[in-house]
Amino acid sequence: MKKVGFIGLGIMGKPMAINLMDAGYAILVLDTNKAAGDLTHKGAEAFSTPKEVASHSDIVITMLPDSPEVEEVVLGKDGVVEGIKEGTIFIDMSTIAPSTARKVYDALQEKKVQALDAPVSGGQVGAESGNLSIMVGGSQDAFDAVKPLFDVMGKSAVLIGDAGAGQMTKACNQMIVGMTIQAVAESFTLAKKAGVNLEKMREALLGGFAQSRILDLHGQRIIDRNFEPGFKIKLHRKDMNIALEAGKEFSVPLYGSALVASHMDAILASGKGEKDHSSIALLMEELAKVD
Ligand code: NAD
């Protein structure tokens, strides 16, 4: 069975790595937060540098917060690039800038290593149940070679195009998710202030054209007052920045995304960056003076 190095075992990475272990893959782990990364009791082997993980693996996966962490882990001192063997496949499943994905791809090409950018959608629930949607940039050969792993972690994996195409798709995904949360948060705030029963409203709307997973899951979070992550709003703000940068690069006005990003900034300013991204509802309630 192939040996899979897994670097970054947070809210998403840990359940993804567990699913691979349960499917029979040998897993080699590394996380700077030792408690987060501890899967040794389940049989994973732990290493202390990305270089060591890469040198012992047939496939290396990263699931890290942002572009700087991916650059450091792959290209930095004792990074993946220093240990990785020719023929290994590298998959970054974090959400990062498409330009960083292409930089990593180019650096690994020099080592005769195929790289895929393969960000995911589906959140913690999708990671735990192996139902992620995986959007991939890179070569068909590399995609085909690691498709069995994608099938363990996700319910769909689509090769979108060349290096960076997966990340550009994910930026679009995050725009839709962010603007849909804004829509759900605004409508729930109005309904609450107008005295409408939110549980009944959610139930009714889930049967109609406004139905969405965000109305379903985040609507329930708003009702339950559960704003623990899930997906930290500071990470979603990072994703909105990737989208806004792409809008600037291609001269595409992104009005809705800019508004949502500003709302996220207001939440970060109030020290709630670790909360779930559904906490946009808290801001809307505050603005509308809803208890
Ligand atoms: P997280 O903060 O829970 O986990 C990130 C992990 O990376 C942490 O355990 C951290 O200790 C580790 N880490 C950071 N720097 C490191 C380094 N240099 N070396 C080794 N480990 C390091 O974040 P998450 O929610 O799991 O998200 C990971 C990525 O997936 C992000 O890019 C995020 O945008 C994306 N994502 C998250 C969700 C979600 O719902 N949480 C959904 C889709 C995509």
Side-chain angles (χ1 to χ4, degrees), residues 55-68:
S55 67
H56 291 92
S57 303
D58 303 307
I59 295 165
V60 178
I61 298 177
T62 47
M63 193 53 168
L64 296 159
D66 196 357
S67 306

Side-chain angles (χ1 to χ4, degrees), residues 30-259:
L30 168 61
D31 194 300
T32 40
N33 174 353
K34 294 271 181 294
D38 189 12
L39 287 179
T40 47
H41 61 285
K42 287 186 72 84
E45 205 179 341
F47 290 88
S48 48
T49 67
K51 178 183 173 178
E52 285 178 283
V53 173
S55 67
H56 291 92
S57 303
D58 303 307
I59 295 165
V60 178
I61 298 177
T62 47
M63 193 53 168
L64 296 159
D66 196 357
S67 306
E69 288 84 3
V70 173
E71 273 208 63
E72 184 201 323
V73 162
V74 181
L75 308 176
K77 185 173 171 333
D78 290 328
V80 166
V81 79
E82 290 184 17
I84 202 159
K85 296 167 297 201
E86 183 178 332
T88 307
I89 296 180
F90 172 82
I91 316 169
D92 177 42
M93 304 191 77
S94 333
T95 304
I96 63 167
S99 56
T100 306
R102 287 191 289 268
K103 187 173 172 183
V104 163
Y105 176 88
D106 289 342
L108 289 170
Q109 279 288 101
E110 286 180 21
K111 293 261 166 185
K112 297 196 169 36
V113 168
Q114 290 284 342
L116 296 170
D117 47 298
V120 305
S121 178
Q124 184 180 15
V125 174
E128 286 168 355
S129 60
N131 276 314
L132 293 168
S133 162
I134 307 172
M135 40 213 108
V136 189
S139 76
Q140 184 75 54
D141 286 353
F143 178 81
D144 292 343
V146 299
K147 182 74 170 34
L149 281 82
F150 288 153
D151 290 341
V152 170
M153 294 183 281
K155 67 170 186 306
S156 88
V158 180
L159 180 64
I160 313 276
D162 294 338
Q167 293 296 353
M168 193 58 84
T169 304
K170 173 68 182 180
C172 294
N173 181 80
Q174 294 307 80
M175 291 163 60
I176 295 171
V177 171
M179 285 187 272
T180 309
I181 294 176
Q182 178 67 37
V184 170
E186 267 182 37
S187 27
F188 273 52
T189 303
L190 174 61
K192 196 171 178 182
K193 199 163 187 185
V196 170
N197 180 308
L198 295 186
E199 284 181 40
K200 295 281 181 206
M201 178 169 106
R202 174 179 165 280
E203 184 188 338
L205 297 189
L206 282 175
F209 200 37
Q211 193 279 339
S212 71
R213 272 176 65 74
I214 290 163
L215 173 64
D216 183 1
L217 299 179
H218 289 350
Q220 193 60 51
R221 274 178 172 274
I222 295 168
I223 291 165
D224 294 343
R225 315 309 290 164
N226 172 17
F227 298 104
E228 291 314 304
F231 186 42
K232 293 169 196 160
I233 198 153
K234 69 175 190 186
L235 289 181
H236 200 155
R237 176 63 183 90
K238 169 258 306 182
D239 298 347
M240 297 312 282
N241 210 47
I242 294 170
L244 293 171
E245 283 291 324
K248 186 171 146 205
E249 184 182 351
F250 293 100
S251 297
V252 177
L254 303 178
Y255 302 116
S257 299
L259 173 79

